[in-house]
Amino acid sequence: MIVQNFLRPALTRALVLLFALCSPSVIYASAPAQRTSAALTREIVPMDFNWRFAFGHATDVKKDFNFASAYFSYWAKAGYGDGAASPVFDDRAWRVLDVPHDWCVELPFDRRGSFSHGYKAMGRNFPEQSIGWYRKNFFIPQSDTGRTITLEFDGVFRNSIVWVNGFYCGTEHSGYAGFGYDITDYLKYGAENVIAVRVDASMEEGWFYEGAGIYRHVRLVKTSPLHVAPNGTFITTDLASNSAIVTVRTRVVNESSRASTFAIDEAITDRTGTLRAKGSLARCMLAPGEEKEFTTRYTIKDPALWSLEDPQMHRLETVIRAESQVVDTYESSFGIRTVRFDANNGFFLNGRHVMICGTNMHQDHAGVGIALPDALHDYRIKRLKEMGSNAIRTSHNPPTPEMLDACDRLGMLVLDENRLMGTNAEHRDALERMMKRDRNHPSVILWSLGNEEWAIEGTITGARIARTMQEFASLFDSSRAFTTAVSGGWDNGIGQVMQVMGYNYIVQGDIDQHHKKFPWQAGIGTEESNTCATRGVYVTDPAMGHLAPTNRMPENVGTESGWNFYAARPFLSGVFYWTGFDYRGEMHPFDWPAVSSQFGLLDLCGYPKDTYYYLKSWWTTKPVLHVIPDWNAVGQQGKISRVTVYGNSPEIELSLNGRSLGKKLMPKNGHLEWQVAYEPGILTARGLKGDAVIVTDSTGFTAQAQSLSLATDRTSIASDGRDACVIEIRAVDAQGRTVPTDNHQLTFSLEGPGKILGVGNGDPSSHEPDRFIEQYSSAQITDLKELSVPALAAGQPETQPGFDDSKWKPALHSGRTEDWQKYVDTLLVIRGTFELPVLNSETEVSLYPKSIVDGQSVYINGHLLASDIKRNARGQSYTLDSRWLKNGKNEYAVTGQRFRKTHQWDEPNTDPGLVGIRVRAGNWKRSLFNGLAQIIVQSTTEPGTIVLKASGEGITPATLTIPTQQQLTQQSSRSTH
């Protein structure tokens, strides 16, 4: 939920402070002292590290940490977050992790799970694994008093509720919307603070794998009362002759209690840091609580344009000065370029016609689910660019901001898609947030308002909704056009009103006829059917969920027929295939045991399937040649096989074991086939232009795998705790050839300043874990009983196991109505129990006690753990000796003096703490699938060398070293609310 009336809380604070300063009878300790301007300027604090996480429960309040069960709930009174939302909740036994995090990818597969989400054990049937709690402690210095402090989330899946210090901040229903909360008034300055986030992923938002948890970045943004508004700049560019006209619109907000007069200084630099334009607006004015937009224009001669081939980026620095002091600095990245969709001639970038060669993308990758490290976006985009793809549709939701950053850097066009169509306040708010966040990205060339809204797309209701949304969205960006992806009934409803018509699948209607009826309307293929397949599989096996290359549509429409259709129609701007990468869920035409889709041109790891090379042949100008199938058909001597060749040479010659099988001319946008009787050996294709051999490719019978080969996409990574690299694992024979039939199970180990994030192999039916993580649980200390004793001694009988406490009274039950003074000097022994599961060598048990008596001594099964602990002593955490513990019931005892009460209404602590149980993760493992597997490795914050080893039974292991080094990184000025 976006924070509505964003100015009002800060203005109210300012007025209260003003009242305090003017009233001699009231003293406010939090009134800010004088500070320098540097203390007031913008500061961005990353909040990704050191969160604590635990599962709650969707239906059992006790298992959900008794959340919302107190007499007053967070909804009843301010600051009454209870259970795990309480600032004093004990989370010491919870798992420690960093975000982005996807807990769903860590869960096992279960046939009771959702088909759409790949049978992961999450959702309505799994209440114990569908609620996740996150908590984080953070320090706010006293010097931040007087600043506006906002907590920002780029995305939480889904239905998140946020508290700070027990104060309810808000709820965001969508898992794809960035949001933020002004937490200034809830903070403790010069002290520790705590964030609590409850995430409910019980209900799906889409119909594809969506993960669960805080899967995008989190940050604190600190500003002075006078500052650039969140997502407060909007930069558009026009080209004229050899110059660019750059228009800058800047929204500034004044959250102080008095009118502000200020100047706006702006400087534009290019990729090399060279100053290209600068200017100022003097004597700008804002009333208290006012927000206003200020516009400037600059002319840049001979500009470096943002293009697919050379994506030149520029940077705008906006500085706000008041009373000669800098109070805010805001940086914005942008590219100088123009985009235009023409109803008859397609898409133009910088005035040059470009055929959009695109793919649809979900955010889902092997090993990590939806919680992609930033570097993985670069990896995925580069794989698509190698194929010749120049565009991504963010189906069916706003993307992670870092994906757009990568598209800007690498030169990839983006169709940016809204999650859900509608015209009420919540729908409008989500659309506005997406557009304001993303509109400075030069990669974004087109906005999509929605996808396949079957209930409305062919109706007058749909037309009304689409028209209203289009008009509303134009308020925030009229420099780009709007589309909606429609799956049929194009001549009615939504198809009648969109600026750019989005066609989903050419079999759904007559595109040529629609263009004749609506000649003013540009068009683009927002989805088109791809040839579905399992990588490296050429015989369909329904029992295994493996699919030979198949055109999915009943009309036998696939990659090639789709491309020929769009390539032949100049009025169509291009096409987005469904999909670039495989993703979990939507396993058509299979169900269990399949768990991933097979629509991708690349598998879930990013390894190309054969159809990838068809598009690479016609989407690039580089020589391409690819022969299928692999020539390892053992026992198929003499069987006729269809050999397919993808390539872009004018002529192709195929030979088997040096014997020519003939030459054929390659048709434009086509492929070639031969019928070949199988015999072991080498099948070779040569791409010819006249007598010259342009390119060759071969496939051949390989011997048994002898060794492993490791390769990384990065030569080094930054030691920032965020950077990552992708490791490719291959099984190779004695000649170094990849063995496409090898499925060895491998074990991985890592040493040095890094960690394995996840593993995968691209098998759409694999049920192997993507992640090997420690398992955390806790045991409550219950059945507390007490006995008053005349004296205390080490190891006294009452602390020993088996002591008869059946006649002891319940512990710590003195109340306000009792004679509380009589308990002042009572010495106590308190006993309780806790239950442990079956223990093994991988189990570690820890006690996280709280003081329930003064001078506390703690015993576990009669063994003295600690003595004379001061009340509220910090750092009470003890790893228990496994020799002391037993499966099932264990005994806990403490001795000490009853807490002294100063007043009858005092409520001394009665919570003894809890027992944490950690089961260490096993060795990281993954089977090769058709010769390949993948590991994703992330750095820690220490420079050094990561050493990764892969091994398997009967195969020579391999070792890879990855240097990590310190690297200066720029903080983003992104503000998502």
Side-chain angles (χ1 to χ4, degrees), residues 603-622:
D603 69 16
L604 199 58
C605 294
Y607 294 136
K609 302 179 189 177
D610 297 316
T611 312
Y612 175 99
Y613 296 97
Y614 166 77
L615 288 177
K616 186 175 183 178
S617 298
W618 305 112
W619 283 4
T620 70
T621 58
K622 298 178 180 178

Side-chain angles (χ1 to χ4, degrees), residues 2 18 29 939:
I2 189 170
L18 181 64
S939 66

Side-chain angles (χ1 to χ4, degrees), residues 116 126 181 197 232 302 407 448 503 537 574 596 602 614 705 713 788 811 844 951 971:
S116 295
F126 305 91
Y181 303 113
V197 184
D302 299 317
C407 289
S448 173
Y503 301 106
V537 169
S596 292
L602 304 103
Y614 166 77
D713 71 318
S788 298
E844 180 181 279
S951 59
Q971 290 182 332

Side-chain angles (χ1 to χ4, degrees), residues 1 53 55 58 67 101-104 117 122-124 129-134 153-163 170-179 181 196-216 370 396-397 419-420 426-427 433:
M1 182 182 71
F53 171 79
F55 283 117
F67 164 64
H101 171 239
D102 175 5
W103 85 66
C104 185
H117 285 60
M122 193 187 75
R124 298 295 191 194
Q129 293 172 165
S130 297
I131 304 293
W133 282 90
Y134 296 84
F153 295 83
D154 282 339
V156 181
F157 194 88
R158 63 174 291 276
N159 198 28
S160 64
I161 313 175
V162 178
W163 296 263
T171 300
E172 172 56 58
H173 299 296
S174 176
Y176 300 106
F179 59 96
Y181 303 113
V197 184
R198 185 181 189 266
V199 184
D200 185 348
S202 301
M203 188 179 82
E204 301 166 1
E205 189 167 347
W207 51 96
F208 41 85
Y209 180 83
E210 299 175 288
I214 305 177
Y215 73 104
R216 296 180 179 177
I370 61 171
H396 299 292
N397 47 263
R419 170 72 284 277
L420 188 63
E426 190 166 355
H427 290 126
R433 274 185 281 165

Side-chain angles (χ1 to χ4, degrees), residues 296-347:
T296 54
R297 287 182 177 85
Y298 301 96
T299 299
I300 297 178
K301 295 183 178 180
D302 299 317
L305 302 184
W306 187 92
S307 66
L308 296 172
E309 301 77 18
D310 188 14
Q312 295 267 358
M313 294 294 294
H314 288 69
R315 182 170 293 274
L316 168 70
E317 183 181 64
T318 304
V319 176
I320 308 296
R321 286 185 296 108
E323 298 178 354
S324 301
Q325 292 186 332
V326 173
V327 296
D328 193 21
T329 300
Y330 189 93
E331 293 187 342
S332 312
S333 295
F334 70 100
I336 297 175
R337 58 97 178 100
T338 61
V339 296
R340 176 170 63 90
F341 284 85
D342 186 274
N344 295 311
N345 299 300
F347 171 69

